[in-house]
C-alpha cells in the first residue's frame, strides 16, 4: 500500500488527558485544543477532583484557560475515593458534563494517595454507576510491592478486574492506557461494555526506550513501557479496527526538573503531536485506514456522545519537535524532543 500524502479525518477526541491546573495549564491546554474537539480530563489534582462542586470549579478554570474563540469541550471526571457516595454519582450524572469516574488504586501513580485501597469499600457507589451508566475509568495496576513493576497490569486484571466485571456485569469500564497482551486479551473477551484506551507512546516504544544509552526519564510513565511483544499486541489490537480500542493519549506534563531527577515523576507529554504520532504507528502497521475509527469514532460511540462533524487534515511532511515546551514558569520536555515526526496536523481554519 502506498502512503497517501494527506489524510482527512473526522476531528478526533482524546479520551484520557492530564491538563493539570494553575499556571502551566494554559500552555498544555493549547496543544490539546489544537488537536482535539473534546477530551476526558483526568481528576488527579492535589487535592483530587472528588466532588461535583470541585469538578465544576475545575471545568470553569479550564474554560477560562482556553485560547480565544476555541470551541473545545472538556469532558469532566470525578476521582473515586472510598468516601464517594452514591448520591454524588447521581449528582454527577445529572450534570450532563461529568462523563466518568476515575479509579486509581491508592499509591499506583501520580497523585493517587487519595485513591481506593479496597474496592469492596465502594460497592454501593459502583452499583449506582452501573445503574446510571456512568463509566468507570481504571488505572489497572496493583500496588503490591512484591509484584514486579512490569507485571502489575497483568496481576491487576487477574486479581481485581475479572472479579469486578463479574460483580457489575453492566458497568461501563474503560481500562486506561493498556500496555500488555494480557490487557488486550481481557478486553477482547469481555462484553461490549468494556473497552480500553491506548496511548501513542505504548504503540511506538517498548521498554528499551527507557535505557537507550543511559536512563531516559522522559520515557518513564505508568504503566511503564513493556516488552516488544506487548507493544506488538497493542498495535495489532488498534490496527484490527475493533471499536473496543480507542484513542487516549495519557499526555501527562511534568516540569523538566521533576523528571530529570533522582526520583523522577511518571508521565509522558504527547499533546503537542498526538495525532501525528498515532498516524506514525498506524502507518507502520499498514493500517492508516483504521486511524479514523480509533481516533474519531469509537470513543464517542462508547461514551454515547455524538461523533464530531468537522474534519482535520494530516499531511505527510516531517517536522522537528522543539527541545522544550513552556509549562508555566517551567519547561517540559515533549515526546520526540529534538527529533522528527513524520506527519503534520494542519491548523484548523
Ligand atoms: O505516567 C503517568 N502519569 N501515569 C499516570 O497514571 C498518571 C500520570 C500523571 O498524572 O502524571
Ligand atoms: Zn493518566
Amino acid at each position: 500500500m502506498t502512503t497517501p500524502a494527506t489524510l482527512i479525518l473526522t476531528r478526533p477526541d482524546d479520551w484520557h488527558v492530564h491538563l493539570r491546573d494553575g499556571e502551566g495549564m494554559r500552555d498544555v491546554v493549547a496543544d490539546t485544543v489544537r488537536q482535539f474537539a473534546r477530551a476526558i480530563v483526568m481528576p488527579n489534582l492535589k487535592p483530587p477532583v472528588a466532588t461535583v462542586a470541585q469538578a465544576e470549579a475545575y471545568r470553569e478554570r479550564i474554560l477560562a484557560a482556553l485560547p480565544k474563540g476555541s470551541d473545545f469541550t472538556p469532558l469532566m471526571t470525578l476521582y473515586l475515593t472510598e468516601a464517594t457516595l452514591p448520591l454524588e454519582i447521581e449528582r454527577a450524572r445529572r450534570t450532563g458534563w461529568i462523563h466518568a469516574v476515575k479509579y486509581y488504586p491508592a499509591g499506583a501513580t501520580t497523585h493517587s494517595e487519595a485513591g481506593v485501597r479496597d474496592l469492596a469499600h465502594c460497592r454501593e457507589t459502583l452499583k449506582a454507576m452501573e445503574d446510571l451508566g456512568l463509566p468507570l475509568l481504571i488505572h489497572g495496576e496493583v500496588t503490591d510491592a512484591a509484584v514486579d513493576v512490569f507485571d502489575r497490569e497483568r496481576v491487576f486484571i487477574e486479581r481485581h478486574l475479572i472479579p469486578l466485571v463479574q460483580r457489575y456485569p453492566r458497568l461501563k469500564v474503560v481500562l486506561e492506557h493498556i500496555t500488555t497482551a494480557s490487557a488486550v486479551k481481557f478486553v477482547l473477551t469481555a462484553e461490549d461494555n468494556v473497552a480500553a484506551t491506548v496511548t501513542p507512546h505504548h504503540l511506538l516504544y517498548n521498554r528499551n526506550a527507557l535505557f537507550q544509552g543511559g536512563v531516559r526519564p522522559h520515557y518513564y510513565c505508568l504503566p511503564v513501557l513493556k516488552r516488544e511483544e506487548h507493544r506488538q499486541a497493542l498495535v495489532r489490537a488498534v490496527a484490527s479496527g475493533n471499536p473496543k480500542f480507542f484513542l487516549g493519549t495519557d499526555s501527562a506534563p511534568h516540569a523538566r526538573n521533576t523528571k530529570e531527577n533522582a526520583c523522577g515523576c511518571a508521565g509522558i507529554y504527547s499533546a503537542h503531536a498526538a495525532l501525528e504520532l498515532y498516524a506514525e504507528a498506524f502507518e507502520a502497521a499498514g493500517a492508516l485506514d483504521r486511524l479514523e475509527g480509533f481516533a474519531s469514532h469509537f470513543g464517542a460511540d462508547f461514551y454515547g456522545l455524538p461523533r464530531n462533524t468537522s474534519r482535520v487534515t494530516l499531511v505527510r511532511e516531517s517536522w522537528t519537535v522543539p527541545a522544550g515546551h513552556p509549562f508555566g514558569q517551567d519547561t517540559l520536555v515533549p515526546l520526540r524532543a529534538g527529533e522528527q515526526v513524520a506527519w503534520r496536523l494542519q491548523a484548523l481554519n
Side-chain angles (χ1 to χ4, degrees):
M1 196 176 82
T2 53
T3 300
T6 60
L7 273 177
I8 297 174
L9 308 176
T10 303
R11 196 166 164 208
D13 303 303
D14 186 350
W15 300 98
H16 183 134
V17 72
H18 298 267
L19 297 181
R20 310 299 193 210
D21 206 352
E23 279 190 68
M25 177 161 65
R26 200 170 286 273
D27 297 319
V28 299
V29 161
D31 280 345
T32 291
V33 165
R34 206 175 324 108
Q35 297 256 333
F36 300 107
R38 299 171 288 196
I40 284 275
V41 181
M42 287 297 126
N44 62 333
L45 305 182
K46 237 177 159 171
V49 181
T51 64
V52 171
Q54 286 169 319
E56 186 168 21
Y58 185 31
R59 180 168 176 271
E60 290 302 321
R61 296 197 295 279
I62 295 168
L63 293 174
L66 295 181
K68 253 206 170 68
S70 165
D71 61 353
F72 175 80
T73 307
L75 308 171
M76 306 308 291
T77 60
L78 289 189
Y79 185 116
L80 183 68
T81 75
E82 294 191 2
T84 307
L85 296 174
L87 184 64
E88 204 62 23
I89 300 301
E90 287 164 28
R91 278 197 198 113
R93 194 51 168 160
R94 275 200 303 272
T95 64
W97 44 262
I98 294 180
H99 293 273
V101 176
K102 179 70 187 278
Y103 161 37
Y104 289 103
T109 186
T110 308
H111 299 165
S112 63
E113 306 78 19
V116 174
R117 266 159 234 291
D118 186 350
L119 263 191
H121 298 152
C122 302
R123 286 201 178 140
E124 295 306 310
T125 304
L126 292 170
K127 181 76 178 53
M129 291 174 57
E130 183 180 38
D131 291 344
L132 295 170
L134 198 61
L136 181 69
L137 314 183
I138 300 183
H139 184 108
E141 288 192 286
V142 290
T143 53
D144 183 345
V147 176
D148 189 284
V149 68
F150 292 100
D151 295 332
R152 287 185 183 173
E153 183 174 274
R154 177 178 58 74
V155 175
F156 181 89
I157 292 166
E158 293 160 7
R159 285 189 196 167
H160 302 291
L161 202 46
I162 292 173
L164 179 80
V165 299
Q166 275 165 0
R167 185 178 275 273
Y168 307 96
R170 292 172 298 114
L171 180 64
K172 280 186 146 185
V173 167
V174 184
L175 185 53
E176 299 290 333
H177 42 54
I178 58 168
T179 62
T180 58
S182 312
V184 170
K185 185 169 165 224
F186 168 77
V187 172
L188 286 175
T189 2
E191 299 294 325
D192 285 349
N193 51 319
V194 176
T197 53
V198 189
T199 75
H201 42 283
H202 290 107
L203 289 173
L204 289 166
Y205 298 97
N206 63 35
R207 65 191 194 177
N208 285 351
L210 279 159
F211 306 110
Q212 205 84 62
V215 175
R216 301 279 185 160
H218 298 293
Y219 289 92
Y220 175 58
C221 62
L222 286 169
V224 72
L225 295 172
K226 302 296 193 299
R227 283 181 180 276
E228 176 62 8
E229 67 199 62
H230 294 294
R231 189 191 71 80
Q232 286 179 13
L234 300 180
V235 169
R236 278 196 302 275
V238 301
S240 75
N242 187 317
K244 281 169 159 274
F245 301 95
F246 48 81
L247 185 157
T249 61
D250 198 17
S251 182
H254 289 273
R256 178 183 201 131
N257 65 312
T258 65
K259 289 201 58 79
E260 297 176 6
N261 191 292
C263 186
C265 293
I268 293 178
Y269 186 75
S270 60
H272 61 295
L275 193 61
E276 293 97 323
L277 291 164
Y278 281 113
E280 279 191 9
F282 277 73
E283 182 182 0
L288 274 175
D289 56 332
R290 297 278 160 88
L291 178 62
E292 184 177 37
F294 172 82
S296 315
H297 297 161
F298 304 153
D301 297 351
F302 183 86
Y303 277 86
L305 292 168
R307 295 178 180 180
N308 298 317
T309 48
S310 56
R311 302 195 172 268
V312 294
T313 304
L314 277 170
V315 184
R316 196 155 193 322
E317 176 185 298
S318 66
W319 57 286
T320 306
V321 175
H325 187 291
F327 186 43
Q329 305 281 354
D330 296 304
T331 300
L332 65 77
V333 177
L335 184 57
R336 287 279 171 86
E339 294 174 54
Q340 303 267 297
V341 173
W343 290 85
R344 182 195 284 281
L345 182 65
Q346 277 189 348
L348 290 174
N349 35 34

